Amino acid sequence: MSKKRNLFAGLICLILAFVCLVSCGEVTLSPELAAKQKAESDAQEVLGKLIWDDEDRTKIVSSLSFGTKNKNYPGVTISWSSSEEDIISNTGKVNRPEFDDPRNELDEEDLYATVIITATVVAEYTWESNGTQTATTDPISKQFTFT
């Protein structure tokens, strides 16, 4: 009977320990993990703010403005890449293709080329741990189709 009683008491102690751990409140993150989570959140917010209306991405004839920073998120950097750099460069400069360019498509009476622009966002973060440490988040991307 004492074996069962000891097992039961041990089980009760284990349950109480689990309840205490769960109800302790917030767990304090290491400085590195806290900084990384904040940087990842900032990068996601900046990526979410990159929006182009469908109409703004069609019939492009003049250069585009590809921002690389957001003043509200100083550690976040945006880089741009183009599937057709000679038509829309990585900096947003537009060079309309020649009439006979094989990448052109005909839609009713309009001739157009399709270009995929990719925005890639990373965030730098720092923390103190025996000196200042710096790292960057993994890159996250979003694509836009322009014609």
Side-chain angles (χ1 to χ4, degrees):
M1 190 68 139
S2 73
K3 253 188 173 182
K4 285 185 180 180
R5 197 175 303 170
N6 287 343
L7 186 59
F8 183 72
L11 185 58
I12 296 294
C13 286
L14 190 59
I15 291 171
L16 286 174
F18 177 77
V19 169
C20 286
L21 284 174
V22 170
S23 65
C24 282
E26 280 191 41
V27 176
T28 303
L29 300 176
S30 71
E32 177 184 5
L33 189 53
K36 183 178 182 181
Q37 285 183 348
K38 169 81 169 84
E40 288 172 342
S41 173
D42 287 354
Q44 285 288 347
E45 286 187 41
V46 168
L47 191 66
K49 292 176 187 298
L50 297 176
I51 299 171
W52 265 294
D53 186 279
D54 287 345
E55 286 185 29
D56 292 339
R57 294 185 284 133
T58 59
K59 299 182 181 179
I60 303 299
V61 295
S62 60
S63 294
L64 303 164
S65 177
F66 294 157
T68 58
K69 292 283 189 181
N70 181 314
K71 68 179 180 176
N72 297 320
Y73 302 92
V76 177
T77 303
I78 309 161
S79 60
W80 301 88
S81 61
S82 171
S83 65
E84 303 292 341
E85 288 184 55
D86 59 322
I87 297 174
I88 300 178
S89 75
N90 294 340
T91 60
K93 184 174 182 342
V94 173
N95 296 303
R96 296 175 69 190
E98 296 294 325
F99 179 79
D100 61 348
D101 190 308
R103 296 171 291 183
N104 284 333
E105 298 177 39
L106 184 60
D107 179 27
E108 294 176 17
E109 295 178 11
D110 293 327
L111 196 61
Y112 68 92
T114 299
V115 179
I116 307 297
I117 300 295
T118 303
T120 302
V121 176
V122 295
E124 184 176 87
Y125 59 99
T126 59
W127 71 96
E128 294 292 324
S129 177
N130 298 330
T132 302
Q133 306 286 322
T134 303
T136 58
T137 60
D138 291 334
I140 53 176
S141 300
K142 187 176 196 176
Q143 292 187 329
F144 303 91
T145 302
F146 287 84
T147 57

